Amino acid sequence: MSSFPKRIFLSGVAVLTLGMSAAGARAEIIGGVEFPQGALSFADAVVSYQPGLEGNAPTAPHQGAANALGVPDYNGVNSCASQDACSFVSLGVGGRIVLRFVDNLLTGSDSDADDLWIFEVGPDVEGTIVDISVNGIDWLSVGAIGGSTRGIDIDAFGYGSSSAFAYIRLTDVANNGGTTGATVGADIDAVGAISTRAAPPPVPEPATWAMMIAGFGLIGGVLRHGRPLPA
């Protein structure tokens, strides 16, 4: 098969898979909280991670930013031998992590119920500033959590069900909690959108449209002449 049809096929499969996953999501109680979209509710990608922006950073085993993705899996172990063995990421003093929802978007609920749930773990109570964004560039504050697992009602900040956000930024409150240690700063296990909807499928760029048209033309020509597709 030529590269054109192959790329078109793979793009189509990706969009179809995304749609099927969202449609098949079911409500689940996760970490004691009901998430209407189940495991799909949780952050999917790390955009950036900047540990210890205003002071000490955590030790290397506690800097696994990807440990903040997916469903919460904190196992009570606070001192990790490696990033792979850790179930959370530590931010360090004033440190920051930006996460993205890929297959879903955070929304408000048009009520006073919590819309966003942050699983901050570990033995210390450490505050975390929370910001949300549509595009990962322009940020809107939705307050802070005072340590440990907490929910936030983004409707209280003026964002209802018609608002949708793909990015979450968490920043350790530098003057809150300890300032030294292997897991210094807020320790993030997971971030989930309680109020959420499926993300729209990606819109192909102009160059991709051109490739698709050329690919369909190639397939049509081959079918008309009864020739096998080129390998």
Side-chain angles (χ1 to χ4, degrees):
M1 182 181 291
S2 72
S3 59
F4 278 161
K6 185 180 293 184
R7 280 196 286 266
I8 294 165
F9 174 76
L10 292 176
S11 298
V13 168
V15 172
L16 180 60
T17 301
L18 179 62
M20 291 177 64
S21 297
R26 294 183 300 176
E28 294 182 57
I29 303 294
I30 300 175
V33 181
E34 181 174 359
F35 289 89
Q37 294 295 312
L40 289 180
S41 305
F42 291 84
D44 305 288
V46 176
V47 177
S48 64
Y49 171 57
Q50 300 168 286
L53 286 175
E54 298 184 36
N56 291 318
T59 57
H62 305 95
Q63 292 189 27
N67 289 328
L69 302 178
V71 298
D73 58 355
Y74 178 60
N75 55 14
V77 176
N78 299 312
S79 181
C80 306
S82 67
Q83 293 181 9
D84 289 341
C86 226
S87 60
F88 60 90
V89 59
S90 299
L91 300 186
V93 178
R96 177 178 296 159
I97 190 168
V98 176
L99 305 175
R100 182 184 178 189
F101 295 109
V102 174
D103 49 17
N104 66 303
L105 298 171
L106 167 69
T107 70
S109 59
D110 298 330
S111 74
D112 60 359
D114 288 326
D115 304 299
L116 177 67
W117 201 268
I118 298 162
F119 292 82
E120 200 276 331
V121 299
D124 299 324
V125 176
E126 295 154 318
T128 308
I129 299 168
V130 183
D131 303 298
I132 57 179
S133 174
V134 173
N135 55 17
I137 299 172
D138 304 303
W139 293 96
L140 304 167
S141 173
V142 288
I145 58 172
S148 189
T149 298
R150 291 287 188 274
I152 291 178
D153 171 24
I154 70 171
D155 293 85
F157 297 87
Y159 311 117
S161 60
S162 62
S163 302
F165 304 93
Y167 298 86
I168 306 294
R169 184 172 68 185
L170 305 176
T171 305
D172 174 73
V173 178
N175 60 356
N176 182 254
T179 58
T180 61
T183 61
V184 63
D187 308 307
I188 308 301
D189 177 23
V191 177
I194 301 172
S195 300
T196 186
R197 65 170 180 254
V203 177
E205 297 181 358
T208 304
W209 279 116
M211 290 172 57
M212 291 174 65
I213 293 170
F216 289 137
L218 173 62
I219 293 172
V222 169
L223 293 177
R224 281 196 302 272
H225 293 87
R227 293 177 299 175
L229 287 171

